[in-house]
Amino acid sequence: MMGRCVVVAMLAALMPALLPAQGYRVRLDTRLQSVAFRGVQLDSIPASDAVMGPSGGFLTPDGIAAQCFSGLAFCTFFRPGPERQGGPLVTTADVAVWGLGIPGLTVRGKLRIGADLGDVDTWPGTDPAVQLLEGYAEYASRYVTAQLGRTHVVSRFGFTGFDGARVEVRPLPSLRVLGYGGWGLARGIALPVTSDALNPLDDFQPRDRQLVVGTRLGWSAGPVEASVLYQREVDPAVDLFVTERVAFEGALYPLRGLTIAGGADYDLSFDYWGTAEARVGWVHPHALVHVTAGGRRYRPHFDLWTIWGAFSPTPYRALFGSAAVRPIDGVEVRARGEVYRFDDSEAQTGLARFEDDGWRWAWGATVSRFDPWTVFGEYHADFGPGAASLGFEGGVSVQPIEEFAATALVGTLQRPLEFRFDDAKVWTYGFRVDYQPHAAVGLLLEVHRYDEVRRRPDAARLDWDQVRVNAGVRFVFGSGGSEGGLHPAILRIPDVPRTR
């Protein structure tokens, strides 16, 4: 924690000194959690030591279900693994600097520092300890927005991060042209795919970072919006594609409150259609009713360097709908549902029959008419191939003053599994407190109790109960803004000048 205070002091001290005439804003968010994990551990015994169970099948001498194959000298089984305690401590720093002598020029950065205070390899995301999530210079004017550095693009293709540049040009009010490119980051994380932290497959991991290039052309006129996207990634070591896709999407607003939208993407690398959807939504002029209905076809996307594309991912088709109604002021009732079916995988399973369809639905309500109290809850169920889940979660929150809010939570989740007998049911109880004594300081405390039962007919059955704690503190300070100076907690840190 002392290291974090030094970072705060350095940022607060250096910003005004280096940029005396500029404005800046720094947001520091520190979170500390206490979590526990217990999995299973693969073990084996000589086949001669296995015993026949009362209902068939093999057991270890201490009563754990085992898998034995004819002709093999050993039987394998899974016993409860060791308990591992984790204590992830993460600090995220957001920095923005403007007024650099060029109108429209801003420098932005987001840095994450993490460490696990518990057992080794208990909690993911803390390796490496320092991660640069974003860091770029941005120039924005009426017709052009340009970024240079570590940035990203969010589109139908997902979250694409890279070290390079992105430029959006708006030559006409109805036309937007975006182009971007650079050295790519791994999907879903701000690390290159060559990082040791992303190396579970060793020899199958690319040795060089991929090159990312993409463009988007967007057009809007009155009630119509449309865009075309293209993105390709290339492995420079072999000069071959990692992925290449094109997409189309659009929306139509024929009447007030009515939206018709949809889109689709095509994978040029695998030569097939990927994900597509179409939906219709309507919102009451006074937001008393909100209804959405539509359908989609989902197919997962895999890069060509991975082995997963060889398994020909099978898409599913779904019909979905949702509705939210406010019958009276301060009361909202909502529901959503979906049915889906997988396409024929063309796999032959002559001795077994498997489900290829499923459904999911949920309904809930929120009551906030008794100020300062709010009551909310939702029941959900999901039944699909191989597994199902159903449960409830809800709570009561109170906010007597603007600076303070407290919430009590309760929930349950049951997870029946079709192909194994390790079904689980868990109850959760907890509370959360948010306190903001000053515009520049915020405090958070969450405590949750988990009572879990894993149902097995053998000796590997275990009850896994634990308490999880999540505590956080947020500081926001800067110059040239409306924060009105630093909080006394910041001013007590040595060498931090008092900014007015």
Side-chain angles (χ1 to χ4, degrees), residues 193-216:
V193 72
T194 55
S195 171
D196 292 338
L198 306 177
N199 191 17
L201 300 178
D202 194 21
D203 292 338
F204 295 98
Q205 186 182 27
R207 299 308 177 197
D208 295 308
R209 296 178 62 179
Q210 70 274 22
L211 294 174
V212 179
V213 177
T215 184
R216 177 171 60 198

Side-chain angles (χ1 to χ4, degrees), residues 173-404:
S174 60
L175 183 63
R176 291 172 175 259
V177 182
L178 172 68
Y180 55 93
W183 297 97
L185 302 174
R187 191 183 307 177
I189 190 170
L191 293 174
V193 72
T194 55
S195 171
D196 292 338
L198 306 177
N199 191 17
L201 300 178
D202 194 21
D203 292 338
F204 295 98
Q205 186 182 27
R207 299 308 177 197
D208 295 308
R209 296 178 62 179
Q210 70 274 22
L211 294 174
V212 179
V213 177
T215 184
R216 177 171 60 198
L217 175 64
W219 175 78
S220 61
V224 180
E225 293 181 358
S227 61
V228 180
L229 303 89
Y230 173 81
Q231 181 174 298
R232 69 193 302 182
E233 300 179 31
V234 178
D235 185 346
V238 292
D239 197 25
L240 294 176
F241 284 112
V242 173
T243 179
E244 184 180 26
R245 289 183 288 175
V246 63
F248 317 88
E249 57 187 4
L252 176 65
Y253 309 95
L255 301 172
R256 181 184 178 186
L258 181 63
T259 302
I260 303 173
D265 60 76
Y266 188 81
D267 195 318
L268 298 172
S269 304
F270 287 98
D271 193 23
Y272 57 52
W273 286 99
T275 299
E277 79 284 331
R279 64 186 183 278
V280 178
W282 179 74
V283 180
H284 185 273
H286 301 292
L288 300 180
V289 180
H290 187 180
V291 181
T292 302
R296 74 166 176 266
R297 176 185 186 270
Y298 173 78
R299 169 179 258 160
H301 169 74
F302 300 106
D303 295 338
L304 289 176
W305 69 266
T306 70
I307 195 174
W308 302 111
F311 293 94
S312 300
T314 302
Y316 72 80
R317 306 170 191 270
L319 297 176
F320 59 87
S322 65
V325 181
R326 293 173 53 196
I328 58 177
D329 188 37
V331 177
E332 180 184 83
V333 181
R334 56 192 176 273
R336 65 181 186 275
E338 180 179 85
V339 294
Y340 60 91
R341 178 182 294 274
F342 283 88
D343 289 354
D344 186 2
S345 65
E346 301 180 0
Q348 300 298 323
T349 55
L351 301 180
R353 180 182 180 275
F354 303 102
E355 298 291 336
D356 61 359
D357 59 357
W359 53 269
R360 56 177 68 98
W361 61 269
W363 64 270
T366 300
V367 180
S368 57
R369 59 183 290 110
F370 305 107
D371 188 57
W373 298 89
T374 299
V375 181
F376 55 91
E378 181 176 281
Y379 180 84
H380 54 87
D382 187 340
F383 288 80
S389 66
L390 61 159
F392 167 84
E393 55 189 20
V396 179
S397 64
V398 59
Q399 188 171 4
I401 58 176
E402 184 178 356
E403 297 80 12
F404 177 86

